[in-house]
Every structure is written in C-alpha cells, then in structure tokens.
Amino acid sequence: MTEINQMNCKCSNKDNCSSHNNEQFKIKSSLNSFNPFTSRVIDLGKGQFIGGGHFQAIAGPCSIEGNHIFELAATLKACGVSILRGGAFKPRTCPDSFQGLGKEGLELLVQAGHDNDMLTISEIMSERDIDLYHDIDILQVGARNCQNYSLLKELGKTNKPVLLKRGMATTIDELISCARYITQAGNDRVILCERGIRTFEPKTRNTFDVSSIAALHNGCDFPIVADPSHATGLSNLVAPCTLAAVACGADGIQVEVHEDPQSAMSDKDQALTPNEFKNLMHDVESMHAFLTQ
Amino acid sequence: MTEINQMNCKCSNKDNCSSHNNEQFKIKSSLNSFNPFTSRVIDLGKGQFIGGGHFQAIAGPCSIEGNHIFELAATLKACGVSILRGGAFKPRTCPDSFQGLGKEGLELLVQAGHDNDMLTISEIMSERDIDLYHDIDILQVGARNCQNYSLLKELGKTNKPVLLKRGMATTIDELISCARYITQAGNDRVILCERGIRTFEPKTRNTFDVSSIAALHNGCDFPIVADPSHATGLSNLVAPCTLAAVACGADGIQVEVHEDPQSAMSDKDQALTPNEFKNLMHDVESMHAFLTQ
Amino acid sequence: MTEINQMNCKCSNKDNCSSHNNEQFKIKSSLNSFNPFTSRVIDLGKGQFIGGGHFQAIAGPCSIEGNHIFELAATLKACGVSILRGGAFKPRTCPDSFQGLGKEGLELLVQAGHDNDMLTISEIMSERDIDLYHDIDILQVGARNCQNYSLLKELGKTNKPVLLKRGMATTIDELISCARYITQAGNDRVILCERGIRTFEPKTRNTFDVSSIAALHNGCDFPIVADPSHATGLSNLVAPCTLAAVACGADGIQVEVHEDPQSAMSDKDQALTPNEFKNLMHDVESMHAFLTQ
Amino acid sequence: MTEINQMNCKCSNKDNCSSHNNEQFKIKSSLNSFNPFTSRVIDLGKGQFIGGGHFQAIAGPCSIEGNHIFELAATLKACGVSILRGGAFKPRTCPDSFQGLGKEGLELLVQAGHDNDMLTISEIMSERDIDLYHDIDILQVGARNCQNYSLLKELGKTNKPVLLKRGMATTIDELISCARYITQAGNDRVILCERGIRTFEPKTRNTFDVSSIAALHNGCDFPIVADPSHATGLSNLVAPCTLAAVACGADGIQVEVHEDPQSAMSDKDQALTPNEFKNLMHDVESMHAFLTQ
C-alpha cells in the first residue's frame, strides 16, 4: 500500500488547504502500482494547490466569447471546478480566424473568476502582454510557444504559476528542458501539460500520449495536467481519455466546456456541454477517490 | 448510472461462464462516462470469454526460452491469469537475433497451458505454419504483419480466435479494415490490440495511443486489448499505462512477464518480474471492480 | 571529378549490357559531390542491370486491369522503359476494394513484357504464390510486407531479383536488416525502394524521405530505387520528386502510369498520363546524362 | 520547353540585378517537368534577389563564435555566396547550452557582411529584439517560433525580408498560413524554408521533406529555400540533399559551414568544412545551370 505521510507534504499552507482537509484526496492508495504523487506541491493562491496529491480540474470555454462566461463559470464552480480557463488571445492557424477578444476577454475572465471565487488561467502569447495578465492567476503557454524560449524566460521573472503545454513535436525530455528555462529565471511554480502530439493518425486531432504522464513523473517533479480536449479533438473521446489520465497519475485535468458547443467560435468539436462535463466531474472525483482511498 | 442487463449479454454460454457468475465483473458501472462494454462477447474456449464486460489478462514471457515457462505459467495462473502468452516464432528486426524456439517452443507453451488449465496464445508469422498451431488456443498477428492480408485471409478460415495487433503505422480505420479481412473469410472471433504506434518520441519504444481504445469501441464491436509492454518498452511505465488502459475501457491487457528480465533473450527492458506483475494484477482487479461496481 | 573505371564494374555481362555501351550512363561525373554509384551491380536478366551506374526506369499501371496493359507497355517501351510493372495481387486497405486480377493479371503482364522485350515486376504477397510468379522477372515486396520475415526468407530461396519497398514506419537501419533476411537465405540480388514514410503531413499520401537514398547508399551496397508515385500520391508532385531522387543518387525510379488515370481502378490520383511520363523520361535521361557526363 | 520571358519577370531592378544579366540563371529550362520559377521575386537589397529564377545560396556558421566569422565570410564570398548567415541569439533545447553571443554576435555578423559586401541573415527570437537587428538585412524565424504569431505579426510591420522556417510539426498549409500573418501585417517579402520535419526515423536529425518544395510552389508564390543541414543533421548527407532540393525547384539553399566543424559550439555534426562547401557550390551552380540552360 502506498501511503505518503501528510506530514511530509511540501504544501506550505496546510491549514487552509482544502485538499489537506479533504479525506477524499488524502495521499495514500490501496493500489500497489499507483504512486505518482511525487511532484512538488505548487501553491496556486486562494487556498488552492496542485501536485503532491492535490488534484485540480481546470475547465472553461476555448475562447471567451462575451458574457456567456459568467453563467458558464457559475455552472463549472457548481461542478467542483476551482480554476476557470478561457482564451482571450488565441493562436489560430489562420490569420483570418477569430483571434479572441484580447484585453476585453481577459477582463471578462477576471470578473467571472472573481464572481465565483475561482482562480483564472489564460494563454499568453507574447512577453509584451505580461502586464495585461496582471489579474490573471495562472499563465498558460500554448503548444505553439512551448519552445519560445524568450517568452519562457520572461515568464520566469513573473511571480505567477505557469502551465506549460507540450509542443506538438516536443519530446518528453525537451519539455522538461523548456520548464527549466522558466525555473532558471527564478520561477519554480511550473505545471506541465500533456495535450497530444502530432502523429500520422487522422482520426484524432492529436495523439494523446498518456505514457508521458508517467514518464514525466519519473523525470521531474513538476505537476502534470492532462488536456484530453486538445489531445483528441473529439468530445466523445474526452471522458474516456480523462479517466485514463487520472488513472495514469495526472495531477489535474484541463477540459473545454461550452454551453452550446456547436455555436462555439473555436474548437466546437471537442467541447463538452455543461451536462456532459458534470457527469465527467462526478467520475473524475470517484476515480480519484478510488485511487487515493 | 450505466447498467447493462446481463440478460442482453451476447455471451452464448452464460451458465458455464465464470465472468457471468462473478459479481466483480457484472456489467454496470457507477460512473457516468464509463460504458465501453459494447463489444461482442467472444468465446475463447475452456469457459473463458472476452468482451462485453468479460475482462482478460494475458501474460507470459516475450519468448519461450525453455522449461522456465512451466514455473512461470504456474505463477501467472496464481495471479489470476487465464491466458498464457509466449513467442515461439519471433519477428526479430535483425536476422542474426534469436528467432525463437519454433515448433519446440509451441510444444512447451501447450504443455505449460495444459498443466495449469490456461488458454494459450502465440504469434503466427506465416500461413504455412497454421498446422503447427493446432493446439494453440488463440492466434496472434504481430504489428509487422497487421496488414499482411494473405495471412489474415488464411486465419479467417481457421476456427480459432485471432488477436490482431495494430501495426506501427496503421491507422484506427485501417485496423478495423484489417479485422474485416478475417471476418469476411468466415471467422468473426477477432480481438484487436493497441500496442503503440511509431512517433518522434524517443523516450518510449512506441507511443501508447490510449485514445484508440475508445475510438475503436466507437467504430467497431471487436474487443480491445492493450499491450503496455510493447507500447512503452519500459517496465516502469507498464503499470501506469495498464491502469490507464483499463480506465479507458480496454477489454483486456497483455503484459510481458519474465522470471529474470535482465537475462531475457528478448525485450528485457519491458518485462515485469513476477512480483511486479502480481502487484499490478491486484490493481487491475481493483480498478475493474471499481469501474464495474 | 568522380570517375569510376568501367573495368572495375561488377557487372558480369559487359558486352551485352546496353548501359555499358551507352556513353550516356558512363560512370563518372563532373560534379564533386555526386558519387552514389557504389552499390553492387545486379544482373536483372535479358541484358539489363541496375546499380553501380546502371540506371533503370520501372513503369506501368498500379493494377493490371485487362488488355489495356498491351498498348501501355508498348508506349512505355517507346519512352525508354525496360521494366514493366503492374499489380495482380493488390494489398488493398479495404477488403471490399478491387483486389487485382490475380493469376490472370500476371499472365497478361508476362505477355505484355514478352511482346515488348521488357522485364516484368509485380508484387508478391504470400510465399505460397511463388510458383505463380514463375515467369515474372523481378519480385516486389510491398510496404505492408516489408517486415514479413517469413515471406522475405522464402524469397531468399528463389533465384529472382527482389525489389523490397520500405515499410511506412520502417527505419533506414531496419530496411537494411530486412534485406539481410533475403541475402542470408541465399539471394543477394536485392534492390531497395524508398516509397515514402508515414508522418503527420496530410497534403501528401506519405512523406518522400529523399535523404534515405543517400543514407542507404552509405549504409549498404544495395541499389536504391525511388517511387515518387506512392511517396507523394499526387501526380503533380511526381516529376519534381523524381528529379530530386535522381539528383540524390537513386539507381532507378518506379513510376505509375495509366492511359486514363481518372478511370484507373486504384491510385488514380498519383498516376501520370503516358504523355506526362514521356516528358518526365526525357528529363530523367537529361538529368542522368548531366550527372554522369 | 519551359521559357519564361524575362520581360515578365516581377523583379523591380532589372538593370542592377546580377541574376538578370547572368545567362546562367536565365529563366528557361530544357527540361519538360521543371518549371518551379513561379514564385514572386523578392528584392533583398544590395542588388540581390530571390525567387522567380533568382537563386541564392545562404551560408555561414550555426553560431557566431567570435572573430572566426571574418575569415569564414571571405571564404564563403569567394565561393559565390551573397548572403552570410550566423546565429547570435540561439534557441537551444537546454538552458545550460551556449546561448549565442547575443548583441555582440550581431555586430560581428554585420561587420563581416560589410567587409565582404554580403547580405546578412540571423534568427530573431523575440519581438523585443527587433531594434537590435537594425543592421541585419534578413530576419530569420526559426522552426520553434514558426507558429509564434505575435512574433510574426511584429515582423510583418518591419521593412525587412523574413525567412520563415517550417516548424518541426507544421504542415505545408499551416506554413503558408504562418506566412500570411506576416503579409497581412504589411510585409510581403516572405521566404519560406523547408528544414526537415520530425518523424520516427532516428538516423537523421529530421526528415527532409523535399516534396514540400514542389507542394509549396503549387500552393503559394513565396520563394522556397531548403536547409539540408538542419534537415539531415549529418554532414555527409548535406550535399546529396542539396542537389535534390535544387532539382526539385528550390529557389535557394541554406547550408551551415564551419572552419573546423568538430570544434563548433553547436551543430558540429552537420557543418561542412569550407572545402566541402566549395565543392558543393560548384555542383549547385552546375546543377542550376543545367536546369535553366
């Protein structure tokens, strides 16, 4: 039986940390093979942690499209989500595509997070935009900028946690090296994210490399989040791949949810409806409780 | 709650089927998102089934090396394994490498299976060898022969179940088409196997495409087995990827086990020790019980 | 200046070999960097050779569809082609697709070759078919059977040259090992063929790995043929990729030609018309003359 | 015969353009299949053009390491090179690796270019560095920043030509879309560069997708440069792949040269010696003369 004494937890804020006081997430497991909780604990602020047994679900729309974010945030909060995602500056393949609401989108996200007592996360595409993200809690680096070392170095000078997504052709070892660009600049609150790699398989948008979760846990102590939405690109594969990620030891998940996926301005094929997501959250919590019972 | 009435099970042998009488494997789940048990039930013989809620663990050495198979088979049986694997004709990259014990290897496997009341499975590389496999219960087609249509057609004329491994560059849709070469020849007892695809990632031997398990369940009704040993090539990734596969809805797993991996004549880096496998089997059973409780 | 003395040529049949008596193909080059003619010379029969400065163009339809092969063969012969290709047993992804004319197709090919004094080449998919290929001059192994070692071993026992196509996920070193399965069985007349590998790029059917031509020349002494038709899958990319292959040192090319590509029963998008092919042959001959002047 | 009337050439500076007055590069070909010179002509400054029949060789060290650049530049100029490359800000996988000389490196490059009447090109990694590149003639975007849209948009506001390298997992269509981020911002002097894509093949650093040269010529009118140094990563494959690229219709090449490759601070395995490069340049000129005679 795997049992990590909570006294050894690297979390700096045991008293106010809900995970610490939540029997569901206590760090032990009745499984022999399941012991991924070796990553550092990262304090995300507002009493939330990730890593070392602290699990987080990140959810929200691909793009913030307007006021829809307020009702959606409330719905997600009710599902148990503590971190609200939403894209404001979007890295679209085609320059003619919707590029996001920009600064206005960030303001909507901040307000929605504030209204629902949620942390916020949004992708940053340029070091020149850092000031715009002043009120965003977690900075996300997208797959296309995974090896944008100039950006990584600048984010290493901020005091915000950074979620770094694996590039489409970035190896596991290269991803760890990318994270080190951030930590060497002074910021050790880095979270890695497996979001699928490019392969020959045309059925799925990318190929979800679930093994990277375990390999990364072996090779570094950063928490690992899985993003089955981008990895598969198909809403009906999101739930089974999410469960796979949790069973493989992911420290968190990131899932795209939209109140009406077919009308979404981006990534409509991969977004879950709020009801689908609610069902999935129930399962994720059950799975996590099983793994850590 | 997902609950499939056992009355509707496609299994033809309900009275003698241990799975049917085993509450652990009853076909329902307290999870909302977990409903993969839509594949046909395949009667493997000797009271064993796979698919439609019937889960199987297949285990054994990469290559049958001699009398070691007898003790190993007994150990695996004690762990709960009903299907013994072992290679006799080995598809080695280099013609100078150990090519397997051939006919003698098959005879050892048959005897070890008989002694322990286990089904046997071994890879067949040529349609001319079919007679040699007379006493083997399940015929395996390896990744290199996945699109060897001549072989598939001949196996379609046999009366044995066929486990068809995905080729290193075979798409999900192509794999289903390969299976249809077997079924169109008259044999509908086909089991598909995800064993990793070739990508740019050098850390793992292949990239384990866990999403293919769910995508295949959506696209066909063949049972799906996962082979984390070949998919990862690294023994320390086998357990987490096995759990991921089960959580994603796999109908079975295939794992390489060797009594002394470092002395194995092939694939030594990916084989589990009997003790590691015993621990993993406990976890797989717990996970499956959780998923189907 | 690269100049290989013809006295050292490994060709056994200098007097009757048209290449030897053709100034155009003499083995020297005014280029500094172009010295690929290090492969063994393979006697193909009927006074034709490949390798070591002997260049061959192989052409014909994807599938032999009937009597069309006779007029097409005459056209190709007039373009300077000495080896007629045509598929009789076709490895189609889908079992419902046209599978080739089989034995009848081979007979048509043999007759068309005989009528035009051309060598013939056709893909063999099963060791049990070897007798059917009695009158075919060169046996081709397709990409899907590149690592079908049982087939390779049997072809190693024949006395016919074998053209071995690289598998979709076969590495350069693995391809050389596959060739050794043939030579170790006693047949050293092996020709390798680069026909594209599977990558993430969706524009082309495969990705034409032109560098493999040079890398194979460094790693073994088998002649290397390029197949831009399968590599690209698009007729408008065949000519530029053919010229690239010749410039990179290929010992031959294989190109699909159909008298009416849009009506072809297979691979219609990649076939050249006879007129397009005639233009290409002119260019290939000019390029080769330039390289070896 | 392909013959493009020079009167129709889009070049704006016919009188001072050496290519225009150089019979060697006149825009016609005795080949039937060779007609790639359909790209726009880009004025690079200092009387140099690329595209539409104007061919350019770009050469220099991976990294500018110090005063070695002066002698190397003179050597390259003597070989016929008009554009000197050299890295000052290096995107190294590991943060501990040599990161380039930075601003000092750019100054050395500018001086070496000035001394030898050569244009200069160097990779820019951050939009905040644009001012530092004031005296550099051509801005290069590396593979890792191919889809760094913030950088592309800023470069679109400059008045310098941009050479945009294909990302390791960027499709042909995506590369064209990336170029449009630059042109939509107002800068239509974009040159694309094929430098290899990531595949399963371990022999070469990347896989050189020579077909992309022809496919890009079909899909857009930007000039296409090939970089066989990064594509193969092996110096002995650079020459044959360079010749392949020219034969496939590349408008230019970029090759890494170092006076002593084994002592180079980065990419030592792929750099040519000055003598190897001199031989290659002779061949490239011969090949281009042949193609356009």
Side-chain angles (χ1 to χ4, degrees):
Chain A
M1 181 189 296
T2 302
E3 187 159 0
I4 298 174
N5 193 315
Q6 288 187 35
M7 300 302 289
N8 294 331
C9 176
K10 290 162 278 189
C11 170
S12 60
N13 192 12
K14 295 185 177 62
D15 292 339
N16 295 322
C17 165
S18 62
S19 295
H20 264 104
N21 301 307
N22 185 340
E23 282 303 295
Q24 182 185 302
F25 291 106
K26 69 184 177 220
I27 310 167
K28 64 179 183 181
S29 176
S30 60
L31 298 187
N32 300 294
S33 309
F34 190 78
N35 183 18
F37 297 145
T38 55
S39 68
R40 64 180 73 177
V41 176
I42 292 183
D43 187 337
L44 301 170
K46 299 188 184 173
Q48 296 294 323
F49 299 83
I50 190 170
H54 301 260
F55 188 91
Q56 291 289 349
I58 304 169
C62 176
S63 300
I64 302 156
E65 300 172 5
N67 288 328
H68 77 131
I69 190 70
F70 295 106
E71 183 174 341
L72 190 53
T75 302
L76 296 172
K77 175 73 176 185
C79 291
V81 173
S82 300
I83 308 176
L84 180 66
R85 70 148 280 151
F89 292 88
K90 298 297 300 174
R92 303 304 300 278
T93 299
C94 180
D96 307 318
S97 300
F98 172 61
Q99 303 277 312
L101 294 182
K103 186 161 177 287
E104 180 195 348
L106 291 179
E107 291 166 353
L108 290 166
L109 182 66
V110 168
Q111 188 63 47
H114 179 269
D115 290 354
N116 294 282
D117 192 26
M118 299 171 85
L119 293 167
T120 53
I121 181 171
S122 194
E123 178 172 349
I124 183 166
M125 290 170 61
S126 169
E127 56 261 51
R128 303 201 304 187
D129 293 340
I130 288 179
D131 288 349
L132 295 177
Y133 285 72
H134 181 271
D135 295 323
I136 300 293
D137 298 296
I138 307 172
L139 303 177
Q140 178 170 306
V141 178
R144 292 169 183 79
N145 282 310
C146 178
Q147 293 181 288
N148 177 349
Y149 301 129
S150 299
L151 178 59
L152 300 183
K153 286 177 183 174
E154 285 305 309
L155 298 184
K157 298 175 187 168
T158 71
N159 63 352
K160 292 181 190 291
V162 177
L163 185 142
L164 174 61
K165 289 198 166 188
R166 184 181 184 184
M168 299 180 204
T170 304
T171 68
I172 290 167
D173 284 342
E174 287 173 345
L175 179 57
I176 296 174
S177 288
C178 290
R180 291 181 53 233
Y181 269 96
I182 301 172
T183 58
Q184 289 204 0
N187 182 353
D188 61 3
R189 290 194 291 168
V190 178
I191 304 155
L192 303 179
C193 179
E194 162 63 31
R195 47 75 74 205
I197 56 175
R198 278 231 164 135
T199 73
F200 64 85
E201 175 60 57
K203 176 77 79 180
T204 46
R205 182 172 175 178
N206 294 283
T207 292
F208 180 43
D209 181 8
V210 74
S211 73
S212 75
I213 298 171
L216 287 166
H217 271 134
N218 286 342
C220 66
D221 74 342
F222 300 111
I224 317 297
V225 165
D227 174 354
S229 302
H230 285 89
T232 66
L234 295 170
S235 61
N236 66 350
L237 299 184
V238 169
C241 289
T242 298
L243 295 176
V246 176
C248 202
D251 299 289
I253 55 167
Q254 179 166 175
V255 177
E256 288 191 357
V257 184
H258 193 280
E259 67 281 4
D260 179 16
Q262 287 313 305
S263 75
M265 298 178 78
S266 52
D267 287 354
K268 65 181 181 176
D269 291 337
Q270 71 197 37
L272 298 189
T273 64
N275 198 49
E276 289 169 337
F277 180 71
K278 182 182 173 186
N279 284 337
L280 176 59
M281 274 300 282
H282 162 268
D283 293 351
V284 167
E285 288 175 3
S286 294
M287 174 72 80
H288 205 270
F290 160 70
L291 291 169
T292 55
Q293 65 195 313
Chain B
M1 180 189 298
T2 303
E3 187 161 359
I4 298 175
N5 193 316
Q6 289 187 35
M7 301 302 288
N8 293 331
C9 176
K10 290 163 278 189
C11 171
S12 59
N13 193 12
K14 295 185 178 62
D15 291 339
N16 295 321
C17 166
S18 61
S19 295
H20 264 105
N21 300 307
N22 185 341
E23 282 303 297
Q24 182 185 302
F25 291 105
K26 70 186 178 215
I27 310 167
K28 64 179 183 183
S29 176
S30 59
L31 298 186
N32 300 296
S33 309
F34 189 78
N35 183 18
F37 297 145
T38 56
S39 68
R40 64 179 75 176
V41 176
I42 291 183
D43 187 337
L44 301 170
K46 299 188 184 173
Q48 296 294 322
F49 299 82
I50 190 169
H54 301 260
F55 188 90
Q56 292 288 348
I58 304 169
C62 176
S63 299
I64 302 156
E65 299 172 5
N67 288 327
H68 77 131
I69 190 70
F70 294 106
E71 184 173 341
L72 190 53
T75 303
L76 296 172
K77 176 71 176 185
C79 291
V81 173
S82 299
I83 307 176
L84 179 66
R85 69 148 280 151
F89 292 88
K90 299 297 300 174
R92 303 304 299 278
T93 299
C94 181
D96 307 318
S97 300
F98 172 61
Q99 302 277 312
L101 294 182
K103 186 162 177 286
E104 180 194 349
L106 291 179
E107 291 166 352
L108 290 166
L109 183 66
V110 168
Q111 188 62 46
H114 179 268
D115 290 355
N116 294 281
D117 193 26
M118 299 170 86
L119 293 166
T120 54
I121 181 171
S122 194
E123 178 172 348
I124 184 166
M125 290 171 61
S126 170
E127 56 261 51
R128 301 202 306 187
D129 292 341
I130 289 179
D131 288 348
L132 295 177
Y133 285 72
H134 182 271
D135 295 324
I136 300 294
D137 298 297
I138 307 172
L139 302 178
Q140 179 170 307
V141 178
R144 291 169 183 78
N145 283 309
C146 178
Q147 293 181 288
N148 177 348
Y149 302 129
S150 299
L151 178 59
L152 300 183
K153 286 178 183 174
E154 285 305 309
L155 298 184
K157 298 176 188 168
T158 71
N159 64 351
K160 292 180 189 292
V162 177
L163 184 143
L164 174 61
K165 289 197 166 187
R166 185 181 184 184
M168 299 181 203
T170 304
T171 68
I172 290 166
D173 285 342
E174 287 174 345
L175 179 57
I176 296 173
S177 289
C178 290
R180 291 181 53 233
Y181 269 96
I182 301 172
T183 58
Q184 289 203 0
N187 182 353
D188 61 3
R189 291 194 291 168
V190 178
I191 304 155
L192 302 179
C193 180
E194 163 62 31
R195 48 75 73 205
I197 56 174
R198 278 232 165 134
T199 73
F200 65 84
E201 175 59 58
K203 175 77 80 181
T204 46
R205 182 172 175 177
N206 294 283
T207 293
F208 180 43
D209 181 7
V210 74
S211 73
S212 76
I213 297 171
L216 286 166
H217 272 134
N218 286 342
C220 67
D221 75 342
F222 301 111
I224 316 297
V225 165
D227 174 354
S229 302
H230 285 88
T232 65
L234 296 170
S235 60
N236 66 350
L237 299 183
V238 169
C241 289
T242 298
L243 295 176
V246 176
C248 201
D251 299 288
I253 55 167
Q254 180 167 175
V255 177
E256 287 191 358
V257 184
H258 193 281
E259 67 281 3
D260 178 17
Q262 287 312 304
S263 73
M265 298 179 77
S266 52
D267 287 355
K268 65 181 181 176
D269 290 336
Q270 71 196 37
L272 298 189
T273 63
N275 198 50
E276 289 169 337
F277 181 71
K278 181 182 173 186
N279 284 336
L280 177 58
M281 274 299 284
H282 162 268
D283 293 351
V284 167
E285 288 174 4
S286 295
M287 174 73 80
H288 205 269
F290 160 70
L291 291 169
T292 56
Q293 65 194 316
Chain C
M1 181 189 297
T2 303
E3 187 158 0
I4 298 174
N5 193 313
Q6 287 187 34
M7 301 302 287
N8 294 331
C9 176
K10 290 162 278 190
C11 170
S12 60
N13 192 12
K14 296 185 178 60
D15 291 339
N16 296 321
C17 165
S18 61
S19 295
H20 264 104
N21 301 307
N22 186 340
E23 283 304 296
Q24 180 185 302
F25 292 106
K26 70 185 177 218
I27 309 167
K28 64 179 183 183
S29 176
S30 60
L31 298 187
N32 300 295
S33 308
F34 189 77
N35 182 17
F37 297 145
T38 55
S39 68
R40 64 180 72 177
V41 176
I42 291 182
D43 187 338
L44 300 170
K46 299 188 183 172
Q48 296 294 323
F49 299 83
I50 191 169
H54 301 260
F55 188 90
Q56 292 289 347
I58 305 168
C62 176
S63 299
I64 302 155
E65 299 172 6
N67 289 329
H68 78 131
I69 189 71
F70 294 107
E71 184 174 340
L72 190 54
T75 302
L76 296 172
K77 176 72 176 184
C79 291
V81 172
S82 299
I83 308 176
L84 180 65
R85 69 148 281 151
F89 291 88
K90 300 296 301 172
R92 305 303 300 279
T93 299
C94 180
D96 307 318
S97 300
F98 172 60
Q99 302 277 312
L101 294 183
K103 187 162 176 285
E104 180 195 349
L106 291 178
E107 291 167 353
L108 290 165
L109 182 67
V110 168
Q111 188 63 48
H114 179 268
D115 290 355
N116 295 281
D117 193 26
M118 299 170 85
L119 292 167
T120 53
I121 181 171
S122 194
E123 178 172 348
I124 183 166
M125 290 170 63
S126 170
E127 57 259 53
R128 301 202 305 188
D129 292 340
I130 288 179
D131 288 348
L132 295 177
Y133 286 72
H134 182 270
D135 296 322
I136 300 293
D137 297 297
I138 307 172
L139 303 178
Q140 177 170 308
V141 178
R144 291 170 182 79
N145 282 309
C146 178
Q147 293 181 289
N148 177 350
Y149 302 128
S150 299
L151 178 59
L152 300 183
K153 286 177 184 174
E154 286 304 309
L155 298 183
K157 298 176 188 168
T158 71
N159 63 352
K160 293 179 189 292
V162 176
L163 186 142
L164 175 61
K165 290 198 164 187
R166 184 181 185 185
M168 299 180 202
T170 304
T171 68
I172 290 168
D173 284 341
E174 286 173 346
L175 179 57
I176 296 173
S177 289
C178 289
R180 291 180 55 233
Y181 269 98
I182 301 172
T183 58
Q184 288 204 0
N187 183 352
D188 62 3
R189 291 195 291 168
V190 178
I191 304 155
L192 302 180
C193 179
E194 163 62 32
R195 46 76 72 206
I197 56 174
R198 279 231 165 135
T199 73
F200 65 83
E201 175 59 56
K203 175 78 78 182
T204 46
R205 182 171 173 178
N206 294 284
T207 293
F208 180 43
D209 181 8
V210 75
S211 73
S212 75
I213 297 171
L216 286 166
H217 272 135
N218 286 342
C220 66
D221 75 343
F222 300 111
I224 316 297
V225 165
D227 174 354
S229 302
H230 285 88
T232 65
L234 295 170
S235 61
N236 65 350
L237 299 184
V238 169
C241 289
T242 298
L243 295 176
V246 176
C248 202
D251 299 289
I253 55 166
Q254 180 167 176
V255 177
E256 287 192 357
V257 185
H258 193 281
E259 67 281 3
D260 179 16
Q262 286 313 304
S263 74
M265 298 178 78
S266 52
D267 287 354
K268 65 181 182 176
D269 291 336
Q270 71 197 38
L272 298 189
T273 64
N275 198 50
E276 289 169 337
F277 181 71
K278 182 182 173 186
N279 284 338
L280 177 58
M281 273 300 282
H282 162 268
D283 293 351
V284 167
E285 288 174 4
S286 295
M287 174 71 81
H288 205 269
F290 160 71
L291 291 170
T292 57
Q293 63 195 314
Chain D
M1 179 189 299
T2 304
E3 188 160 359
I4 298 174
N5 193 315
Q6 288 187 34
M7 302 301 289
N8 294 331
C9 176
K10 289 161 279 188
C11 171
S12 59
N13 192 12
K14 294 185 179 59
D15 292 337
N16 296 321
C17 166
S18 60
S19 295
H20 264 105
N21 300 307
N22 185 340
E23 282 303 296
Q24 181 185 302
F25 291 106
K26 70 186 179 218
I27 309 167
K28 65 179 183 183
S29 176
S30 60
L31 297 187
N32 300 295
S33 309
F34 189 77
N35 183 17
F37 297 145
T38 55
S39 68
R40 64 179 73 176
V41 176
I42 292 182
D43 187 338
L44 300 171
K46 300 188 183 173
Q48 297 294 323
F49 299 82
I50 190 169
H54 301 261
F55 188 90
Q56 292 289 348
I58 305 168
C62 176
S63 299
I64 301 156
E65 301 172 7
N67 289 328
H68 78 132
I69 189 71
F70 294 107
E71 184 174 340
L72 190 54
T75 302
L76 296 173
K77 175 73 176 183
C79 291
V81 172
S82 300
I83 308 176
L84 179 66
R85 68 148 281 151
F89 291 88
K90 301 295 301 173
R92 304 303 300 279
T93 300
C94 180
D96 306 318
S97 300
F98 173 60
Q99 302 277 312
L101 294 182
K103 187 162 177 285
E104 180 195 349
L106 291 178
E107 291 166 354
L108 290 166
L109 182 66
V110 168
Q111 188 62 47
H114 180 268
D115 290 355
N116 294 282
D117 193 27
M118 299 170 84
L119 293 166
T120 53
I121 181 171
S122 194
E123 177 172 349
I124 183 166
M125 291 170 61
S126 170
E127 56 260 52
R128 303 202 303 188
D129 292 341
I130 288 178
D131 288 348
L132 295 177
Y133 285 73
H134 182 270
D135 296 322
I136 299 293
D137 297 298
I138 307 172
L139 303 178
Q140 177 170 308
V141 178
R144 291 169 182 79
N145 282 309
C146 178
Q147 293 181 289
N148 177 348
Y149 301 128
S150 299
L151 178 59
L152 300 183
K153 286 177 184 174
E154 285 305 309
L155 298 183
K157 298 176 188 168
T158 71
N159 63 352
K160 293 179 189 294
V162 177
L163 185 142
L164 174 62
K165 290 198 165 187
R166 183 180 184 185
M168 299 180 203
T170 304
T171 68
I172 290 167
D173 285 341
E174 286 173 346
L175 178 58
I176 296 173
S177 289
C178 289
R180 291 179 54 233
Y181 269 97
I182 301 172
T183 59
Q184 289 204 0
N187 182 353
D188 61 3
R189 291 194 291 167
V190 178
I191 304 155
L192 302 180
C193 180
E194 163 62 32
R195 46 77 72 206
I197 56 174
R198 279 232 164 132
T199 72
F200 65 84
E201 175 60 56
K203 174 79 78 182
T204 46
R205 183 171 174 177
N206 293 284
T207 293
F208 179 43
D209 181 9
V210 75
S211 73
S212 75
I213 298 171
L216 287 166
H217 271 135
N218 286 343
C220 67
D221 75 343
F222 300 111
I224 316 296
V225 165
D227 174 353
S229 302
H230 285 88
T232 65
L234 296 170
S235 60
N236 66 350
L237 299 183
V238 169
C241 288
T242 298
L243 296 176
V246 176
C248 202
D251 299 288
I253 54 166
Q254 180 167 177
V255 176
E256 287 192 357
V257 184
H258 193 280
E259 67 281 2
D260 179 16
Q262 286 313 304
S263 74
M265 298 178 78
S266 52
D267 286 354
K268 64 180 182 177
D269 291 336
Q270 71 196 35
L272 298 189
T273 63
N275 198 50
E276 290 169 337
F277 180 71
K278 182 183 173 186
N279 284 336
L280 177 58
M281 274 299 283
H282 163 268
D283 294 351
V284 167
E285 288 175 3
S286 295
M287 175 71 81
H288 205 270
F290 160 70
L291 291 170
T292 57
Q293 65 194 310

